[in-house]
Amino acid sequence: MIPRNRPVINEADIAQQAGVPASTWRRRDAPAFRQRVASLFPHSRILIYDLAQARAYLEGKPIPELPAGEHPDDLFNDEETAAVLGVTASTVRAYATQGYLSAGKTLYSIRVWPRSDIEERRKNPPGQGKGGGRPPGTGRGPRKAHAYEGDPRLHTATEALSTARDTPRHHLAASLAHQHGGSTRTWERLLTQASQASPSG
């Protein structure tokens, strides 16, 4: 998490500020730096750091503490956002693509979203309450965004079965394909899987 939308920096730019090649920095200087300054997204393949902390290290000054407590401007990556919303990271990215969540912004190739936007989506999940439902212009249909992977589409298929029990399976599959993309055949397989997984199916 990036506290309160504070400025950040990656290791290539830290090396530049230190006046050494990035390869030299990573081999010679990065291990000691990482012991003193924690990455804001430690599990990401792209390591970024608080700018003020990085500069303090380079200048030989005490490392300032990051602000404590929650703040609406805190920035979360897709994994952290997924943990708050109780979905997968790929679903978070699909939400942003289809308008269920703000587009966020990109810092050093990492997409991030403010806590305020995430909390709003958590309180009003797609299809439920104020701010829920499908984004304007996307038609009607199941409330889950198409995340282009098994679980979200299977959930969508399960919901479709529960709300359209009398609709012929191939008609329902064609409707889902039109609304969410993919082929009718794929949605027929998902509907079959959802039907087999359902206690009433």
Side-chain angles (χ1 to χ4, degrees):
M1 180 189 78
I2 301 174
R4 308 189 184 196
N5 195 15
R6 289 165 62 89
V8 297
I9 189 170
N10 71 352
E11 290 193 354
D13 286 349
I14 294 172
Q16 185 177 33
Q17 292 198 11
V20 298
S23 58
T24 301
W25 162 266
R26 293 192 181 96
R27 182 184 69 253
R28 185 190 68 190
D29 303 315
F33 172 82
R34 293 169 185 167
Q35 288 184 349
R36 296 283 310 281
V37 183
S39 170
L40 297 174
F41 297 121
H43 302 297
S44 172
R45 64 182 181 82
I46 300 173
L47 299 178
I48 62 174
Y49 303 86
D50 182 80
L51 178 60
Q53 288 189 330
R55 283 180 173 170
Y57 176 90
L58 293 176
E59 294 168 4
K61 298 178 180 178
I63 308 298
E65 294 287 335
L66 295 176
E70 297 182 355
H71 190 278
D73 293 336
D74 294 339
L75 297 176
F76 293 76
N77 68 3
D78 55 0
E79 294 286 351
E80 294 169 333
T81 301
V84 174
L85 298 180
V87 298
T88 65
S90 59
T91 298
V92 168
R93 294 190 293 271
Y95 280 176
T97 298
Q98 297 197 355
Y100 291 97
L101 183 67
S102 71
K105 66 179 181 179
T106 301
L107 300 170
Y108 290 110
S109 300
I110 298 176
R111 179 85 72 91
V112 293
W113 292 267
R115 182 189 295 273
S116 57
D117 289 0
I118 299 167
E119 288 296 327
E120 176 64 24
R121 174 47 60 210
R122 184 180 65 81
K123 294 173 184 175
N124 298 289
Q128 297 181 4
K130 182 179 179 182
R134 302 183 66 79
T138 59
R140 301 176 60 83
R143 60 184 175 88
K144 285 290 184 182
H146 180 0
Y148 305 103
E149 68 171 28
D151 289 348
R153 291 196 299 177
L154 184 59
H155 187 93
T156 299
T158 301
E159 286 193 333
L161 283 174
S162 67
T163 58
R165 292 181 179 275
D166 297 328
T167 302
R169 185 72 56 85
H170 64 282
H171 288 170
L172 187 55
S175 176
L176 289 170
H178 177 72
Q179 293 167 8
H180 300 281
S183 68
T184 300
R185 190 175 208 173
T186 296
W187 281 104
E188 285 179 343
R189 285 198 298 268
L190 287 164
L191 288 167
T192 299
Q193 187 177 351
S195 177
Q196 292 172 345
S198 172
S200 61

